[in-house]
Amino acid sequence: MTLVYAFANGKADGNKDMHDVLGGKGANLAEMTNIGVPVPPGFTISAVLCHDYLDKGSLSDDLKREMRAAMSRLEEATGRCFGSGPRALLLAIRSGAAVSMPGMMDTILNLGLNDETVRILADESNNPQFAFDSYRRFVQMYGNVVFEIKNSENGGDPFEHELEQLKRARGIERDIDLEAEDLEGLVNTFKSIVREHTGQPFPDDPEDQLLRAVEAVFRSWNSRRAGDYRRVHKIPNTLGTAVNIMAMVFGNLGEDSGTGVAFTRDPTTGANELFGEFLVNAQGEDVVAGIRTPEPLTNMRDKFPQAFDEFTKISEVLERHYRDVQDIEFTVERGKLYVLQTRGAKRTAAAAVRVAVQMVEEGLIDKSMAVNSLDPDQLNQLLHPMVDPETHAQVLTEGLPASPGAAVGRVVFNADRAEEMAGQGVPVILVRRETSPDDFHGMVASQAIVTSRGGMTSHAAVVARGMGKCCVVGARALDFDEPNHRVRVGDTWIDEGDWLTIDGTKGNVLLGQVSLVEPELGDDFNTLMQWADERRRLRVRANADTPEDAARARGFGAEGIGLCRTEHMFFEGNRIDAMREMIVAEDEPGRRDALRKILPMQRADFVGIFRVMDGLPVTIRLLDPPLHEFLPHGEADIAELAENMGVRIERLRHTVETLTEANPMLGHRGCRLGITYPEITEMQAWAIFEAACEVAAEGVEVYPEVMVPLVAHVEEFRRQAAIVRKTADRVFEKRGQRIDYLVGTMIEVPRAALTADEIAAEADFFSFGTNDLTQTTFGLSRDDSGRFLPHYVETGLLKDDPFQSLDVSGVGQLVNLAVERGRAKKPGLKIGICGEHGGDPASVVFFHGAELNYVSCSPFRVPIARLAAAQAAIKD
Ligand code: PEP
Ligand code: MG
């Protein structure tokens, strides 16, 4: 097995397709070297060795031997010596997993410096200030990464603290304006910080420095932030990171040097123009960390004209080569350009859509590639709300529009607090000077992120865009009073818990809770979705219970309603009273009284939905209320209901007690209700068919599909279907009108799946209720799983929450089996799915493979399902 892959002077051992071994960064460094991009030489240690190190706790002798050989070749390629003169070789050590995890793992620059090599560097560059600036950076990064000396309790990084103090004492703002002597003093202070923390002197031997740095980068795979990031982005823990070791090039050599980050197209809007930022006289980390606010890339044209021209050409070459927008890191060392990294650029959903359509028009990619280039989940962002342009909100302050959308929440000033309050169901806005990867868990928990420092490529901006979370950065007017947990803009104070509204599209921070509106989807979005629709085989319907939801679903491209939960129509206002009356009625006449009140409400709802869905099927499910959701809770509710019903409180309380179930999710719900109280089914069928006749008479094309829930035995279905069909005949006869309709069933308990052949003989269609099917297959209550399922997912026992992403190997078997048995009995049987999984891209891929006819999901997820279904079809 090859352990180390070199890249130098136009020739590399690896290439871009070797992500698994080299990580994304290493694979692209190799590729760029091969195609003639100026990359500093170096080598990559295989990611395969990461877990080997994590298991054993030490680097193998084989690896050390290969590293020594690679170092000799690197010395040869650069004409420099590691640890000695006349020209000293310094190294950059960078992590890089197969899947990009920006900023989540560690980097060390300027490795190889000690009291001797720093003099060599000073002599060679004729610039002691630069040499000591590099040295202090090295000790600081090494201290942070290898010795894990990071933020302490009482405010921040001890190295930064010393640096800030020194700058204040000298009355200067920029690090690079410190004199060589001051920097040398700082190196010594930094080394004593290390000694204090570790009880050992700072390692001076470059080889020792290197080995420990490689180990630290491997260890950073298991850091909390990296683990959190993997969980959110569903990256397997088993991958591991590679380690890239490259000869240093210096952006901090003076005013003719610099460093920057650029995107080949604007990552926020998708506009086809080079977009980026750079800093003169700085090292790479300065741009990403957001500590100094960088200049726009266009200024580089004046400052480094030759390097700028070359960079423009290279960025075009790379974009064409990868056929994707690239995010490129570069350094200019005394006017000469080096590319340090390229990767597919993280971009907003709006940019992703625009770029995909543009690239097809430019002939760079085909339509299927365009459809594949989007992450379905990311579309969420496009469907996000915006600040209502009609409202006149007070702008507290402005920053850069780093990630679009809008959000309202309460202010918090640190990540742990964000997580804590969000855990209590409070929407929070994380407000910080800048974010570091250690804040990741707080960013996940927040509705939006605001920082006072940093640019469009700062950590906060990149991470928020990746998560599709609204973000404003560089809101410089924010003046923090950390000890008192507050922040000030002018004379307005904002305390923890105050409400703010964040407009990430404009970059505004607004006071209070401002109203938000739904977004409009542009032409590019429609073009792309049309390409997706041309490619998919699965139909996409929506779960909608009201005409408003149905209209929104249709707007998002739903091809019908796959589930109308009739009990949801009773959650609102005083409608719940009628429902409660029916549930607690003690006999059939009592129930019929309550049902008479319910009937007109249901009919009106169905009329509204049928009208909106003119020409498309509407699946209406018979009542399936887990009774406890509707029982009156508490004395006040009981008293009120007793009064409405004209019964004694004691009697009602007794009835409620007798109706209380130990396991409501497995109790008197679903078709069991209609079986015991057929008058309920009869009323609902009556309402459905009367509504259908009414709208048909108006000229609406109506296709009702009546669905029986929670069927376990074919006889349950047979009896319920008989009531529905008989009621339909009565309505048709009364109105002198006939309407085509279907009666089908949900498949949501294992017994229904196992006996799908018997049920198919009776039913016109199946729809998998994967929420209940998951519950009953796992034997895991939907109501209670929240207490322990997160632990299962966090500890990796389960890869995903099975209520969010279908458990293919378990529940999926029942789906496949029911499809097979159902269609064996009734070829061509229409089969859909309407559990939450219908809007989960990974599950949609499974349903495509299971040859269902449609998925049905919440309206906002309809475009996501359309895209996921297209991607599944393209993969075929
Ligand atoms: C299901 O069980 O998957 C389903 C769609 O029904 P409900 O969530 O209403 O039980
Ligand atoms: Mg169900």
Side-chain angles (χ1 to χ4, degrees):
M1 183 171 70
T2 313
L3 310 182
V4 160
Y5 295 77
F7 49 91
N9 302 334
K11 221 183 128 309
D13 298 338
N15 62 54
K16 74 174 184 338
D17 301 320
M18 294 173 68
H19 279 225
D20 288 348
V21 179
L22 300 179
K25 188 177 295 168
N28 289 338
L29 286 170
E31 186 78 7
M32 286 194 291
T33 303
N34 285 331
I35 64 172
V37 173
V39 172
F43 58 92
T44 303
I45 300 175
S46 164
V48 177
L49 301 176
C50 180
H51 284 282
D52 187 53
Y53 166 76
L54 292 173
D55 291 344
K56 299 202 180 100
S58 63
L59 303 175
S60 71
D61 290 339
D62 286 348
L63 173 60
K64 289 183 192 163
R65 196 172 328 109
E66 285 210 22
M67 279 175 66
R68 268 194 297 274
M71 282 300 294
S72 303
R73 274 178 281 149
L74 187 55
E75 288 180 322
E76 221 169 277
T78 54
R80 295 175 172 275
C81 289
F82 188 51
S84 60
R87 300 171 71 224
L89 173 62
L90 300 188
L91 302 175
I93 319 294
R94 296 164 187 270
S95 57
V99 182
S100 155
M101 297 169 52
M104 291 299 137
M105 289 171 300
D106 286 324
T107 296
I108 298 172
L109 303 181
N110 308 305
L111 187 136
L113 281 172
N114 55 28
D115 291 347
E116 203 177 307
T117 47
V118 74
R119 301 276 164 210
I120 299 172
L121 189 65
D123 288 348
E124 186 198 333
S125 60
N126 203 13
N127 187 345
Q129 193 269 352
F130 147 74
F132 282 99
D133 179 50
S134 304
Y135 197 8
R136 76 92 193 151
R137 287 168 184 273
F138 168 57
V139 179
Q140 177 170 1
M141 277 185 144
Y142 206 84
N144 287 156
V145 173
V146 178
F147 298 119
E148 299 182 23
I149 304 169
K150 293 186 183 165
N151 292 346
S152 63
E153 311 252 299
N154 44 11
D157 178 326
F159 301 110
E160 276 299 318
H161 178 75
E162 292 295 335
L163 178 62
E164 288 300 320
Q165 274 209 322
L166 182 61
K167 285 196 307 198
R168 209 167 307 136
R170 296 289 179 266
I172 55 171
E173 277 199 9
R174 308 191 312 169
D175 316 351
I176 43 170
D177 295 329
L178 285 169
E179 303 280 340
E181 292 72 36
D182 275 341
L183 290 163
E184 185 171 3
L186 207 53
V187 168
N188 291 326
T189 313
F190 282 7
K191 284 187 172 181
S192 37
I193 292 176
V194 170
R195 200 174 310 119
E196 237 169 70
H197 273 78
T198 63
Q200 293 165 20
F202 189 86
D204 279 331
D205 173 22
E207 278 209 24
D208 188 24
Q209 290 174 356
L210 176 58
L211 294 176
R212 290 201 204 199
V214 170
E215 293 184 345
V217 170
F218 277 152
R219 278 199 305 273
S220 69
W221 177 254
N222 276 343
S223 68
R224 171 172 181 189
R225 66 197 197 206
D228 286 347
Y229 188 91
R230 289 198 292 276
R231 200 162 50 247
V232 171
H233 293 274
K234 304 216 162 106
I235 300 170
N237 284 326
T238 48
L239 285 182
T241 180
V243 186
N244 300 291
I245 294 163
M246 276 168 106
M248 273 299 293
V249 288
F250 298 97
N252 56 338
L253 258 170
E255 296 300 312
D256 57 354
S257 303
T259 186
V261 178
F263 294 83
T264 54
R265 302 188 190 214
D266 187 321
T268 309
T269 65
N272 187 4
E273 55 206 19
L274 201 54
F275 172 93
E277 294 169 328
F278 81 112
L279 277 169
V280 173
N281 201 359
Q283 283 199 340
E285 298 305 294
D286 300 344
V287 181
V288 195
I291 291 167
R292 271 166 61 192
T293 304
E295 307 182 49
L297 194 72
T298 40
N299 291 4
M300 190 174 148
R301 195 192 310 255
D302 303 329
K303 296 199 168 148
F304 314 124
Q306 216 178 332
F308 182 77
D309 270 1
E310 195 185 354
F311 183 75
T312 314
K313 287 193 194 105
I314 287 175
S315 67
E316 278 167 23
V317 166
L318 288 175
E319 187 182 274
R320 237 176 301 126
H321 187 74
Y322 286 96
R323 300 210 253 177
D324 191 14
V325 184
Q326 295 297 296
D327 163 356
I328 307 169
E329 276 180 32
F330 63 90
T331 281
V332 177
E333 181 184 276
R334 295 205 160 136
K336 169 149 180 43
L337 175 76
Y338 292 94
V339 176
L340 306 182
Q341 171 175 324
T342 192
R343 63 183 171 200
K346 300 252 180 243
R347 63 207 85 166
T348 63
V353 168
R354 183 152 172 211
V355 164
V357 174
Q358 272 175 0
M359 284 191 165
V360 171
E361 283 160 4
E362 291 162 20
L364 213 52
I365 57 176
D366 64 26
K367 291 177 185 171
S368 292
M369 286 170 79
V371 168
N372 270 336
S373 74
L374 260 90
D375 171 4
D377 268 325
Q378 209 196 3
L379 285 186
N380 238 338
Q381 213 184 93
L382 276 187
L383 315 169
H384 271 336
M386 299 287 169
V387 168
D388 183 351
E390 302 293 312
T391 58
H392 297 287
Q394 191 187 341
V395 177
L396 173 69
T397 186
E398 288 169 26
L400 301 171
S403 183
V408 181
R410 291 182 184 273
V411 171
V412 290
F413 295 110
N414 75 63
D416 289 341
R417 191 79 183 114
E419 200 176 54
E420 187 186 321
M421 283 176 55
Q424 294 159 6
V426 180
V428 296
I429 308 283
L430 182 62
V431 179
R432 289 186 66 69
R433 252 197 201 98
E434 72 237 349
T435 63
S436 82
D438 289 325
D439 294 317
F440 184 70
H441 60 293
M443 300 174 76
V444 171
S446 303
Q447 305 294 313
I449 297 122
V450 179
T451 68
S452 61
R453 291 181 179 169
M456 296 290 278
T457 52
S458 66
H459 176 265
V462 171
V463 173
R465 273 201 295 276
M467 289 193 290
K469 210 156 260 202
C470 147
C471 178
V472 173
V473 298
R476 291 143 156 278
L478 294 172
D479 183 8
F480 287 83
D481 173 12
E482 255 141 16
N484 294 311
H485 299 286
R486 54 185 194 160
V487 69
R488 183 170 64 109
V489 176
D491 41 24
T492 309
W493 285 99
I494 304 291
D495 291 296
E496 183 180 283
D498 284 353
W499 287 98
L500 286 183
T501 300
I502 310 306
D503 182 343
T505 312
K506 291 206 179 124
N508 288 340
V509 178
L510 309 166
L511 277 177
Q513 294 170 268
V514 179
S515 65
L516 308 180
V517 292
E518 303 302 335
E520 276 181 36
L521 302 167
D523 290 345
D524 286 339
F525 176 83
N526 292 330
T527 303
L528 195 81
M529 290 312 289
Q530 189 192 326
W531 295 340
D533 291 345
E534 286 162 11
R535 283 159 180 77
R536 74 186 151 89
R537 190 182 45 82
L538 270 176
R539 310 253 112 204
V540 177
R541 297 190 186 187
N543 296 355
D545 315 319
T546 62
E548 297 75 48
D549 278 357
R552 177 181 290 132
R554 203 169 178 157
F556 285 144
E559 296 162 299
I561 302 293
L563 174 62
C564 170
R565 292 178 165 104
T566 49
E567 62 278 2
H568 281 194
M569 298 171 156
F570 289 88
F571 280 149
E572 280 172 35
N574 52 11
R575 281 178 159 212
I576 196 162
D577 294 341
M579 189 73 166
R580 285 178 167 165
E581 251 182 80
M582 185 204 62
I583 286 171
V584 300
E586 285 178 354
D587 51 16
E588 194 189 317
R591 256 187 314 279
R592 284 201 184 269
D593 275 349
L595 288 169
R596 256 190 296 280
K597 293 185 198 161
I598 293 176
L599 175 76
M601 301 181 200
Q602 290 249 280
R603 190 175 43 215
D605 288 334
F606 297 147
V607 165
I609 293 176
F610 286 148
R611 279 195 192 127
V612 169
M613 299 308 290
D614 187 0
L616 297 173
V618 176
T619 308
I620 296 173
R621 183 178 70 183
L622 299 178
L623 217 51
D624 174 19
L627 285 185
H628 64 308
E629 285 181 18
F630 287 94
L631 283 179
H633 297 291
E635 280 301 305
D637 272 1
I638 292 181
E640 193 187 321
L641 186 62
E643 194 184 319
N644 287 351
M645 293 175 68
V647 298
R648 290 202 344 273
I649 296 185
E650 297 71 33
R651 217 187 92 197
L652 186 61
R653 193 185 299 124
H654 176 75
T655 314
V656 168
E657 274 162 21
T658 55
L659 284 173
T660 302
E661 295 176 310
N663 272 317
M665 272 297 173
L666 299 179
H668 196 187
R669 59 172 288 223
C671 66
R672 297 160 196 171
L673 215 63
I675 295 285
T676 45
Y677 307 139
E679 58 276 11
I680 298 180
T681 305
E682 202 183 296
M683 177 282 292
Q684 289 206 292
W686 193 270
I688 293 168
F689 292 112
E690 277 202 324
C693 288
E694 186 180 327
V695 297
E698 295 166 5
V700 170
E701 265 183 67
V702 58
Y703 300 102
E705 301 184 346
V706 182
M707 182 154 77
V708 184
L710 218 74
V711 164
H713 195 289
V714 63
E715 196 52 32
E716 289 172 319
F717 179 77
R718 197 177 285 134
R719 291 185 189 188
Q720 288 288 288
I723 297 173
V724 172
R725 291 186 177 123
K726 200 167 125 201
T727 309
D729 286 341
R730 282 171 52 209
V731 172
F732 295 156
E733 195 174 323
K734 180 175 153 220
R735 297 190 59 112
Q737 217 177 334
R738 281 206 83 77
I739 284 177
D740 284 337
Y741 67 93
L742 304 177
V743 189
T745 184
M746 297 193 70
I747 302 286
E748 49 184 349
V749 297
R751 195 181 188 285
L754 294 168
T755 58
D757 47 350
E758 293 173 24
I759 300 174
E762 308 286 328
D764 298 331
F765 66 89
F766 284 176
S767 177
F768 287 99
T770 47
N771 305 332
D772 276 310
L773 192 57
T774 300
Q775 164 171 264
T776 49
T777 302
F778 271 86
L780 186 64
S781 159
R782 286 163 71 175
D783 284 342
D784 298 320
S785 63
R787 301 205 186 146
F788 49 88
L789 254 191
H791 178 79
Y792 274 45
V793 178
E794 268 156 33
T795 56
L797 192 155
L798 289 179
K799 203 169 127 266
D800 286 304
D801 178 340
F803 288 109
Q804 283 171 21
S805 201
L806 193 86
D807 162 47
V808 169
S809 58
V811 179
Q813 280 195 53
L814 285 171
V815 171
N816 282 327
L817 183 142
V819 170
E820 193 190 310
R821 293 190 183 170
R823 291 212 178 116
K825 187 75 189 183
K826 189 176 272 177
L829 178 70
K830 177 155 75 172
I831 305 180
I833 171 263
C834 61
E836 289 310 306
H837 306 88
D840 169 63
S843 309
V844 171
V845 172
F846 168 79
F847 297 130
H848 168 90
E851 301 195 359
L852 301 199
N853 299 91
Y854 68 86
V855 297
S856 186
C857 55
S858 76
F860 277 105
R861 297 201 75 86
V862 166
I864 297 170
R866 285 162 70 195
L867 189 62
Q871 292 180 351
I874 291 168
K875 228 196 231 148
D876 269 0

